[in-house]
Amino acid sequence: MSPLADRYGRRFPYLRLSVIPACNFRCTYCLPHGYHADPHAAQPLSLAEIARLLRGFAELGMHKLRITGGEPSVRHDLTEVLRTAAAAPGVTKLAMTTNGSLLSRRLHEWMDAGLNAINVSVDSLDRANFARITGHDRLDDILHGVDMALGAGMASVKLNAVLLRGVNDGELPAWLDYLRERRIGLRFIELMQTGDNLAFFRDRHVRAELLETQLLESGWQLLPRAADAGPAREYRHADYAGRIGIIAPYSKDFCSGCNRLRVTATGDLRLCLFGEFGIPLRPLLQADEQLEDLVRAIGGQIGRKEQGHFLHEGRTGITPHLASTGG
Ligand code: SAM
Ligand code: SF4
């Protein structure tokens, strides 16, 4: 089977799999009132269903896999999920995005299971600000976990910080101090509008370009975009061990570098974070013999992927918040 490609010539070697919609944090831009379980909602995919799903994507050329959520570490069998994912054929990079609340306690267990890349969400280096944004006064322990991951030789350690106007958009000097000696990729992410956060978005959205101007003025250099790179614009500076990436979903051509597909915790394929529909794959994950049907179903849907999102028009699709799809 040849690798997946869509009508616009984009290829999709990268799958982001949500393993649970629940989260223990209350980030102001995502789940400001915390996670509330829907008693009628289906359970997240089982380990056997995940294994079959990944086999299907592997047939279609997937080799980078990110485990996300909700908060993946809220799932009690996360280590088994990671082991299952690492054993999937073709997976060379197994990454996870986490709020880091269990990182210092579980890092070694996760690495032993095969995790080799981690993105930790750290929206502020200021303890009080971090607590205000996430609802949890956990910054010190989370940063300790990040340093442990670096010390343990994790192949890739990245931090995600969502830019919020008037809240954390003045912290570049603190971040530069932090990055001077640490081999970390910091990603500043521009706040995205979702179904639930319109008022917050109007209040707090700030264009990432403003930050990029500051970086260029301080001698940071934009790296040429690698052919297989995702949508982040990467900057480096000779005086710093760390790098800075900018994820600016409202910038022109953002979607032309799209290289990823998503599957929700209950097995719906999402062609775009802000798409209008999900495609239920779960019925095709019930027996090993369904592999061919699964591969055909995924391949048959890829032609429906739009060239770009419609966020500029305020159209957020069926995504109420990113915890629901795995941001
Ligand atoms: N709970 C994990 C975490 O926070 O890292 C994983 C799931 S979270 C939805 C994935 C990433 O999406 C996080 O870095 C988070 O900050 C980011 N995110 C959530 N809502 C967002 C929004 N409205 N705009 C931009 N980024 C957002
Ligand atoms: Fe939870 Fe991540 Fe959303 Fe924060 S961004 S509320 S940690 S899912």
Side-chain angles (χ1 to χ4, degrees), residues 248-289:
Y250 292 87
S251 66
K252 198 172 143 289
D253 291 340
F254 179 74
C255 299
S256 62
C258 185
N259 60 357
R260 63 214 46 205
L261 295 171
R262 293 182 163 81
V263 173
T264 67
T266 51
D268 277 13
L269 171 64
R270 295 282 179 87
L271 300 175
C272 171
L273 194 47
F274 299 103
E276 300 285 352
F277 57 91
I279 299 141
L281 297 178
R282 192 168 214 170
L284 298 173
L285 303 175
Q286 302 314 307
D288 293 345
E289 293 68 36

Short mmCIF file of all heavy atoms in Angstrom, two decimals, residues 248-289:
data_model
loop_
_atom_site.label_atom_id
_atom_site.label_comp_id
_atom_site.label_asym_id
_atom_site.label_seq_id
_atom_site.Cartn_x
_atom_site.Cartn_y
_atom_site.Cartn_z
N ALA A 248 1.71 29.41 14.33
CA ALA A 248 0.81 30.54 14.09
C ALA A 248 -0.29 30.11 13.12
O ALA A 248 -0.19 30.32 11.92
CB ALA A 248 1.61 31.72 13.52
N PRO A 249 -1.34 29.50 13.65
CA PRO A 249 -2.37 28.92 12.79
C PRO A 249 -3.12 29.95 11.94
O PRO A 249 -3.76 29.58 10.97
CB PRO A 249 -3.33 28.25 13.77
CG PRO A 249 -3.01 28.80 15.10
CD PRO A 249 -1.60 29.24 15.07
N TYR A 250 -3.04 31.23 12.31
CA TYR A 250 -3.74 32.24 11.53
C TYR A 250 -2.86 32.83 10.44
O TYR A 250 -3.27 33.75 9.74
CB TYR A 250 -4.27 33.35 12.46
CG TYR A 250 -5.37 32.83 13.36
CD1 TYR A 250 -5.08 32.24 14.58
CD2 TYR A 250 -6.70 32.89 12.96
CE1 TYR A 250 -6.07 31.73 15.39
CE2 TYR A 250 -7.72 32.38 13.76
CZ TYR A 250 -7.40 31.80 14.97
OH TYR A 250 -8.39 31.28 15.76
N SER A 251 -1.62 32.32 10.34
CA SER A 251 -0.75 32.90 9.31
C SER A 251 -1.02 32.23 7.96
O SER A 251 -1.52 31.10 7.89
CB SER A 251 0.73 32.77 9.71
OG SER A 251 1.07 31.42 9.72
N LYS A 252 -0.64 32.95 6.93
CA LYS A 252 -0.87 32.48 5.56
C LYS A 252 -0.11 31.16 5.34
O LYS A 252 0.98 31.00 5.85
CB LYS A 252 -0.32 33.58 4.62
CG LYS A 252 -0.80 33.51 3.21
CD LYS A 252 -0.33 34.78 2.47
CE LYS A 252 0.05 34.48 1.04
NZ LYS A 252 1.26 33.73 0.85
N ASP A 253 -0.67 30.26 4.60
CA ASP A 253 0.00 29.01 4.24
C ASP A 253 0.23 28.04 5.40
O ASP A 253 0.99 27.09 5.27
CB ASP A 253 1.38 29.27 3.59
CG ASP A 253 1.21 29.89 2.22
OD1 ASP A 253 0.11 29.76 1.65
OD2 ASP A 253 2.18 30.50 1.72
N PHE A 254 -0.35 28.32 6.58
CA PHE A 254 -0.14 27.43 7.72
C PHE A 254 -0.48 25.98 7.36
O PHE A 254 0.24 25.06 7.69
CB PHE A 254 -1.02 27.89 8.90
CG PHE A 254 -0.90 27.04 10.12
CD1 PHE A 254 0.22 27.11 10.92
CD2 PHE A 254 -1.92 26.15 10.47
CE1 PHE A 254 0.33 26.32 12.06
CE2 PHE A 254 -1.82 25.36 11.60
CZ PHE A 254 -0.69 25.45 12.39
N CYS A 255 -1.58 25.79 6.64
CA CYS A 255 -2.06 24.42 6.39
C CYS A 255 -1.30 23.72 5.25
O CYS A 255 -1.43 22.50 5.09
CB CYS A 255 -3.55 24.44 6.08
SG CYS A 255 -4.51 25.09 7.47
N SER A 256 -0.51 24.47 4.49
CA SER A 256 0.17 23.81 3.37
C SER A 256 1.22 22.83 3.89
O SER A 256 1.61 21.91 3.19
CB SER A 256 0.80 24.85 2.43
OG SER A 256 1.77 25.56 3.14
N GLY A 257 1.68 23.03 5.14
CA GLY A 257 2.67 22.09 5.71
C GLY A 257 2.02 21.00 6.54
O GLY A 257 2.71 20.28 7.25
N CYS A 258 0.72 20.87 6.47
CA CYS A 258 0.03 19.88 7.32
C CYS A 258 0.50 18.47 6.97
O CYS A 258 0.46 18.07 5.81
CB CYS A 258 -1.48 20.00 7.16
SG CYS A 258 -2.36 18.91 8.31
N ASN A 259 0.95 17.73 7.99
CA ASN A 259 1.46 16.38 7.75
C ASN A 259 0.83 15.37 8.71
O ASN A 259 1.37 14.31 8.93
CB ASN A 259 2.99 16.37 7.89
CG ASN A 259 3.43 16.81 9.29
OD1 ASN A 259 2.60 17.18 10.12
ND2 ASN A 259 4.73 16.76 9.54
N ARG A 260 -0.30 15.75 9.32
CA ARG A 260 -0.83 14.93 10.41
C ARG A 260 -2.31 14.62 10.26
O ARG A 260 -3.07 15.38 9.65
CB ARG A 260 -0.63 15.67 11.73
CG ARG A 260 -1.41 16.96 11.77
CD ARG A 260 -0.76 18.07 12.52
NE ARG A 260 0.64 18.25 12.23
CZ ARG A 260 1.50 18.81 13.07
NH1 ARG A 260 1.09 19.26 14.23
NH2 ARG A 260 2.76 18.93 12.75
N LEU A 261 -2.68 13.50 10.85
CA LEU A 261 -4.09 13.16 10.99
C LEU A 261 -4.33 12.91 12.48
O LEU A 261 -3.37 12.72 13.24
CB LEU A 261 -4.41 11.89 10.20
CG LEU A 261 -4.26 12.04 8.67
CD1 LEU A 261 -4.38 10.67 7.99
CD2 LEU A 261 -5.30 13.01 8.11
N ARG A 262 -5.58 12.94 12.86
CA ARG A 262 -5.91 12.76 14.28
C ARG A 262 -6.95 11.66 14.44
O ARG A 262 -7.83 11.49 13.59
CB ARG A 262 -6.46 14.06 14.86
CG ARG A 262 -5.45 15.16 14.92
CD ARG A 262 -6.04 16.41 15.55
NE ARG A 262 -4.98 17.30 15.96
CZ ARG A 262 -4.34 18.12 15.14
NH1 ARG A 262 -4.67 18.17 13.87
NH2 ARG A 262 -3.37 18.89 15.59
N VAL A 263 -6.85 10.97 15.57
CA VAL A 263 -7.90 10.04 15.95
C VAL A 263 -8.28 10.36 17.39
O VAL A 263 -7.40 10.52 18.26
CB VAL A 263 -7.45 8.57 15.79
CG1 VAL A 263 -8.52 7.62 16.36
CG2 VAL A 263 -7.21 8.23 14.32
N THR A 264 -9.58 10.50 17.64
CA THR A 264 -10.03 10.84 18.99
C THR A 264 -9.95 9.61 19.90
O THR A 264 -9.77 8.48 19.42
CB THR A 264 -11.49 11.33 18.98
OG1 THR A 264 -12.32 10.21 18.61
CG2 THR A 264 -11.71 12.47 18.00
N ALA A 265 -10.16 9.84 21.19
CA ALA A 265 -10.02 8.76 22.17
C ALA A 265 -11.01 7.62 21.91
O ALA A 265 -10.76 6.48 22.29
CB ALA A 265 -10.23 9.33 23.57
N THR A 266 -12.13 7.93 21.26
CA THR A 266 -13.11 6.86 20.99
C THR A 266 -13.03 6.36 19.55
O THR A 266 -13.93 5.67 19.07
CB THR A 266 -14.54 7.35 21.31
OG1 THR A 266 -14.74 8.59 20.64
CG2 THR A 266 -14.74 7.55 22.79
N GLY A 267 -11.96 6.76 18.83
CA GLY A 267 -11.70 6.13 17.54
C GLY A 267 -12.28 6.84 16.33
O GLY A 267 -12.46 6.22 15.29
N ASP A 268 -12.58 8.13 16.45
CA ASP A 268 -13.03 8.87 15.26
C ASP A 268 -11.84 9.49 14.55
O ASP A 268 -11.05 10.21 15.18
CB ASP A 268 -13.98 10.02 15.66
CG ASP A 268 -15.40 9.54 15.85
OD1 ASP A 268 -15.59 8.31 15.93
OD2 ASP A 268 -16.29 10.38 15.95
N LEU A 269 -11.74 9.24 13.26
CA LEU A 269 -10.69 9.88 12.46
C LEU A 269 -11.10 11.34 12.21
O LEU A 269 -12.24 11.61 11.80
CB LEU A 269 -10.56 9.14 11.13
CG LEU A 269 -9.67 9.77 10.06
CD1 LEU A 269 -8.22 9.83 10.51
CD2 LEU A 269 -9.76 8.96 8.75
N ARG A 270 -10.19 12.27 12.50
CA ARG A 270 -10.44 13.68 12.20
C ARG A 270 -9.39 14.12 11.19
O ARG A 270 -8.18 14.04 11.46
CB ARG A 270 -10.30 14.54 13.47
CG ARG A 270 -11.34 14.24 14.53
CD ARG A 270 -12.69 14.87 14.19
NE ARG A 270 -13.67 14.55 15.21
CZ ARG A 270 -13.87 15.25 16.32
NH1 ARG A 270 -13.14 16.33 16.55
NH2 ARG A 270 -14.77 14.88 17.18
N LEU A 271 -9.86 14.59 10.07
CA LEU A 271 -8.92 14.99 9.00
C LEU A 271 -8.29 16.34 9.31
O LEU A 271 -7.23 16.67 8.79
CB LEU A 271 -9.64 15.03 7.66
CG LEU A 271 -10.27 13.70 7.21
CD1 LEU A 271 -11.06 13.88 5.92
CD2 LEU A 271 -9.18 12.63 7.01
N CYS A 272 -8.98 17.14 10.13
CA CYS A 272 -8.46 18.46 10.51
C CYS A 272 -8.94 18.74 11.93
O CYS A 272 -10.05 18.35 12.31
CB CYS A 272 -9.01 19.52 9.56
SG CYS A 272 -8.65 21.23 10.07
N LEU A 273 -8.09 19.45 12.70
CA LEU A 273 -8.46 19.81 14.07
C LEU A 273 -9.78 20.57 14.10
O LEU A 273 -10.54 20.50 15.06
CB LEU A 273 -7.33 20.68 14.64
CG LEU A 273 -7.23 20.97 16.12
CD1 LEU A 273 -7.40 19.73 16.96
CD2 LEU A 273 -5.90 21.62 16.41
N PHE A 274 -10.05 21.32 13.03
CA PHE A 274 -11.24 22.16 13.00
C PHE A 274 -12.24 21.70 11.95
O PHE A 274 -13.00 22.50 11.42
CB PHE A 274 -10.82 23.61 12.78
CG PHE A 274 -9.93 24.11 13.89
CD1 PHE A 274 -8.57 24.22 13.71
CD2 PHE A 274 -10.47 24.40 15.13
CE1 PHE A 274 -7.76 24.63 14.74
CE2 PHE A 274 -9.67 24.81 16.17
CZ PHE A 274 -8.29 24.93 15.98
N GLY A 275 -12.19 20.41 11.64
CA GLY A 275 -13.09 19.87 10.61
C GLY A 275 -14.54 19.80 11.10
O GLY A 275 -14.83 19.94 12.29
N GLU A 276 -15.42 19.53 10.15
CA GLU A 276 -16.85 19.53 10.46
C GLU A 276 -17.37 18.12 10.76
O GLU A 276 -18.55 17.95 11.03
CB GLU A 276 -17.65 20.08 9.26
CG GLU A 276 -17.30 21.50 8.85
CD GLU A 276 -17.87 22.54 9.82
OE1 GLU A 276 -18.65 22.15 10.71
OE2 GLU A 276 -17.51 23.71 9.68
N PHE A 277 -16.51 17.12 10.63
CA PHE A 277 -17.00 15.75 10.84
C PHE A 277 -15.88 14.84 11.33
O PHE A 277 -14.70 15.12 11.15
CB PHE A 277 -17.59 15.19 9.53
CG PHE A 277 -16.60 15.20 8.39
CD1 PHE A 277 -15.78 14.10 8.17
CD2 PHE A 277 -16.47 16.31 7.57
CE1 PHE A 277 -14.86 14.11 7.13
CE2 PHE A 277 -15.55 16.33 6.53
CZ PHE A 277 -14.74 15.23 6.31
N GLY A 278 -16.32 13.75 11.98
CA GLY A 278 -15.40 12.69 12.35
C GLY A 278 -15.84 11.42 11.64
O GLY A 278 -17.00 11.29 11.27
N ILE A 279 -14.89 10.51 11.44
CA ILE A 279 -15.22 9.28 10.72
C ILE A 279 -14.99 8.12 11.69
O ILE A 279 -13.84 7.87 12.08
CB ILE A 279 -14.32 9.14 9.47
CG1 ILE A 279 -14.55 10.33 8.55
CG2 ILE A 279 -14.56 7.83 8.76
CD1 ILE A 279 -13.31 10.86 7.90
N PRO A 280 -16.06 7.45 12.13
CA PRO A 280 -15.88 6.42 13.16
C PRO A 280 -15.11 5.21 12.65
O PRO A 280 -15.56 4.54 11.73
CB PRO A 280 -17.32 6.04 13.55
CG PRO A 280 -18.21 6.70 12.57
CD PRO A 280 -17.43 7.62 11.69
N LEU A 281 -13.94 4.97 13.23
CA LEU A 281 -13.14 3.80 12.83
C LEU A 281 -13.34 2.63 13.79
O LEU A 281 -12.97 1.50 13.48
CB LEU A 281 -11.65 4.18 12.79
CG LEU A 281 -11.23 5.27 11.79
CD1 LEU A 281 -9.74 5.56 11.90
CD2 LEU A 281 -11.59 4.86 10.36
N ARG A 282 -13.92 2.90 14.94
CA ARG A 282 -14.02 1.86 15.97
C ARG A 282 -14.66 0.57 15.48
O ARG A 282 -14.16 -0.53 15.80
CB ARG A 282 -14.77 2.41 17.18
CG ARG A 282 -14.65 1.50 18.37
CD ARG A 282 -15.13 2.16 19.63
NE ARG A 282 -14.34 1.72 20.75
CZ ARG A 282 -14.40 2.25 21.95
NH1 ARG A 282 -15.18 3.29 22.18
NH2 ARG A 282 -13.65 1.78 22.93
N PRO A 283 -15.72 0.65 14.67
CA PRO A 283 -16.31 -0.61 14.20
C PRO A 283 -15.32 -1.46 13.40
O PRO A 283 -15.52 -2.67 13.27
CB PRO A 283 -17.47 -0.14 13.30
CG PRO A 283 -17.79 1.24 13.77
CD PRO A 283 -16.49 1.82 14.25
N LEU A 284 -14.26 -0.83 12.90
CA LEU A 284 -13.27 -1.59 12.11
C LEU A 284 -12.07 -2.03 12.95
O LEU A 284 -11.06 -2.47 12.42
CB LEU A 284 -12.79 -0.73 10.93
CG LEU A 284 -13.89 -0.33 9.93
CD1 LEU A 284 -13.35 0.66 8.91
CD2 LEU A 284 -14.43 -1.59 9.25
N LEU A 285 -12.22 -1.88 14.28
CA LEU A 285 -11.09 -2.22 15.17
C LEU A 285 -11.43 -3.41 16.06
O LEU A 285 -10.79 -3.62 17.09
CB LEU A 285 -10.74 -1.00 16.05
CG LEU A 285 -10.39 0.29 15.31
CD1 LEU A 285 -10.19 1.43 16.30
CD2 LEU A 285 -9.13 0.09 14.48
N GLN A 286 -12.44 -4.19 15.64
CA GLN A 286 -12.93 -5.24 16.54
C GLN A 286 -12.27 -6.60 16.33
O GLN A 286 -12.36 -7.47 17.18
CB GLN A 286 -14.45 -5.35 16.42
CG GLN A 286 -15.15 -4.03 16.75
CD GLN A 286 -14.61 -3.39 18.03
OE1 GLN A 286 -14.56 -4.06 19.07
NE2 GLN A 286 -14.17 -2.14 17.97
N ALA A 287 -11.58 -6.78 15.20
CA ALA A 287 -10.91 -8.07 14.95
C ALA A 287 -9.72 -7.85 14.03
O ALA A 287 -9.75 -6.96 13.17
CB ALA A 287 -11.89 -9.04 14.30
N ASP A 288 -8.68 -8.67 14.21
CA ASP A 288 -7.47 -8.52 13.39
C ASP A 288 -7.79 -8.66 11.90
O ASP A 288 -7.15 -8.04 11.06
CB ASP A 288 -6.44 -9.59 13.78
CG ASP A 288 -5.91 -9.36 15.19
OD1 ASP A 288 -6.14 -8.24 15.71
OD2 ASP A 288 -5.30 -10.27 15.76
N GLU A 289 -8.81 -9.45 11.60
CA GLU A 289 -9.16 -9.71 10.19
C GLU A 289 -9.70 -8.47 9.49
O GLU A 289 -9.89 -8.46 8.27
CB GLU A 289 -10.23 -10.83 10.09
CG GLU A 289 -9.77 -12.20 10.53
CD GLU A 289 -9.50 -12.28 12.02
OE1 GLU A 289 -10.23 -11.64 12.81
OE2 GLU A 289 -8.54 -12.97 12.41
#
